[in-house]
């Protein structure tokens, strides 16, 4: 089911209440606007609850108060208990002299349209802004799997594993990293000249998994799970699908998302108390 986003609500408010576009609080609404205000509240109520975790304490308190004022005013219009100016929706001293709809609009302008699901791992050990980016991909992978979009779920799961392993590898000493990459490359070339060491940002997921295993960042079991996710992620290529006679299904997506979850759990358990440093 599609979710209402902050930009959708802001767009509706601007269209429904042209006075908001000027950004001033010098206007009021009365009972003739009841249906439009009710529609705005219905949209606001559909905003995902996790969105509010991104707001500061004071901002959230003012926003909550503004929504309460709008709701109470609407209820008064429906009851007819307060005629005339006593029940107009206008700027209030309690709201710092601002109109409640202005507060709601400006707050939502500060909110992103995409926020992670509540069940998304926190990844406290990963620094911002990378943490938010990876958490959003994890959340989207969860949702894609739940909605039957199996190829997207597998692709995002592989992307999350790649991002996490790259981040962790970049925390390693450069000389140790080069030695681990050489060891992995030598084991893959069977006597031929191994790959020349390159900036880790150019590596493939196969390299991240292999070098992370050499560095003991991950275990054999985690490496096997990650390799499985890599295989299903690569089915995004039509040629590979044809050659292997495979496609992403509920089963393959479940395995890929499960592998992603195992990598996340493993890294959280090992590194949640270790401060990270920016890549060299």
């Amino acid at each position: 089911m599609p979710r209402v986003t902050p930009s959708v609500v802001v767009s509706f408010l601007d269209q429904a209440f042209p006075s908001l576009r000027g950004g001033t609080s010098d206007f009021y609404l009365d009972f003739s606007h009841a249906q439009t205000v009710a529609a705005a509240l219905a949209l606001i109520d559909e905003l995902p609850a996790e969105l509010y975790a991104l707001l500061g304490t004071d901002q959230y308190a003012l926003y909550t108060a503004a929504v309460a004022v709008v709701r109470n005013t609407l209820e008064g219009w429906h009851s007819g208990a307060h005629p005339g100016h006593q029940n107009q929706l206008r700027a209030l001293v309690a709201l710092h002299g601002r109109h409640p709809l202005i507060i709601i609009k400006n707050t939502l302008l500060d909110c992103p349209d995409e926020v992670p699901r509540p069940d998304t791992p926190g990844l406290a050990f990963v620094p911002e802004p990378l943490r938010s980016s990876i958490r959003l991909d994890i959340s989207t992978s969860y949702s894609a799997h739940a909605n039957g979009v199996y190829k997207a779920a597998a692709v995002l799961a592989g992307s999350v594993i790649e991002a996490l392993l790259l981040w962790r590898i970049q925390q390693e000493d450069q000389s140790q990293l080069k030695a681990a990459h050489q060891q992995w490359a030598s084991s893959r070339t069977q006597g031929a000249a191994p790959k020349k060491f390159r900036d880790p940002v150019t590596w493939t997921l196969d390299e991240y998994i292999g070098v992370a295993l050499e560095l003991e960042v991950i275990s054999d079991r985690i490496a096997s799970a990650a390799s499985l996710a890599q295989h299903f992620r690569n089915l995004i290529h039509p040629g590979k699908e044809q050659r292997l006679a495979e496609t992403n299904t509920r089963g393959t997506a479940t395995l890929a998302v499960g592998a992603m979850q195992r990598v996340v759990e493993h890294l959280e358990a090992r590194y949640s108390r270790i401060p990270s440093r920016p890549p060299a």
Side-chain angles (χ1 to χ4, degrees), residues 126-146:
V126 178
E128 292 287 7
L130 181 61
R131 179 194 307 154
S132 293
S133 175
I134 295 177
R135 292 190 71 238
L136 188 56
D137 282 348
I138 293 172
S139 174
T140 306
S141 181
Y142 287 167
S143 297
H145 180 267

Side-chain angles (χ1 to χ4, degrees), residues 120-198:
T120 305
L123 302 185
F125 61 98
V126 178
E128 292 287 7
L130 181 61
R131 179 194 307 154
S132 293
S133 175
I134 295 177
R135 292 190 71 238
L136 188 56
D137 282 348
I138 293 172
S139 174
T140 306
S141 181
Y142 287 167
S143 297
H145 180 267
N147 294 329
V149 189
Y150 300 129
K151 181 176 287 189
V155 169
L156 285 166
S159 176
V160 167
I161 293 172
E162 188 169 305
L164 285 172
L165 293 183
L166 170 60
W167 163 79
R168 187 58 236 178
I169 283 170
Q170 288 177 321
Q171 309 304 305
E172 301 295 326
D173 178 80
Q174 190 75 357
S175 60
Q176 292 181 330
L177 183 57
K178 287 182 178 180
H181 187 271
Q182 184 177 24
Q183 183 68 25
W184 168 81
S186 297
S187 69
R188 298 292 299 266
T189 54
Q190 299 179 345
K195 286 184 176 181
K196 183 179 179 181
F197 183 81
R198 313 179 318 281

Side-chain angles (χ1 to χ4, degrees), residues 24 80 110 133 154 189 249 266:
T24 67
D110 289 338
S133 175
T189 54
T249 63
H266 177 80

Side-chain angles (χ1 to χ4, degrees), residues 9-87:
V9 178
V10 169
S11 178
F12 177 85
L13 291 175
D14 277 342
Q15 292 181 33
F17 309 107
S19 298
L20 288 177
R21 299 174 194 169
T24 67
S25 293
D26 189 23
F27 70 96
Y28 68 88
L29 305 174
D30 57 27
F31 63 89
S32 66
H33 299 93
Q35 290 186 344
T36 310
V37 171
L41 271 179
L43 289 175
I44 290 168
D45 288 342
E46 288 297 315
L47 288 168
E50 55 267 33
L51 184 75
Y52 302 120
L54 305 176
L55 300 176
T57 302
D58 292 343
Q59 188 179 27
Y60 177 70
L62 190 60
Y63 172 83
T64 302
V67 173
V69 168
V70 174
R71 197 180 307 279
N72 182 69
T73 302
L74 181 64
E75 291 173 356
W77 288 340
H78 286 159
S79 68
H82 302 288
H85 71 279
Q86 295 180 7
N87 203 30

Side-chain angles (χ1 to χ4, degrees), residues 89-113:
L89 187 58
R90 59 170 64 237
L92 295 175
V93 173
L95 298 179
H96 303 169
R98 298 162 68 193
H99 197 287
L101 289 181
I102 287 286
I103 292 173
I104 292 169
K105 175 187 171 180
N106 289 345
T107 301
L108 295 180
L109 283 172
D110 289 338
C111 295
D113 276 346

Side-chain angles (χ1 to χ4, degrees), residues 228-268:
L228 193 62
Q230 177 192 12
H231 173 76
F232 296 132
R233 191 275 299 271
N234 289 345
L235 292 179
I236 192 174
H237 304 294
K240 188 151 192 174
E241 279 188 327
Q242 292 181 24
R243 290 195 306 274
L244 299 178
E246 286 187 271
T247 188
N248 271 302
T249 63
R250 182 177 183 179
T252 63
T254 299
L255 290 171
V257 173
M260 172 187 71
Q261 189 69 31
R262 288 290 292 121
V263 171
V264 168
E265 292 168 352
H266 177 80
L267 294 180
E268 280 196 316

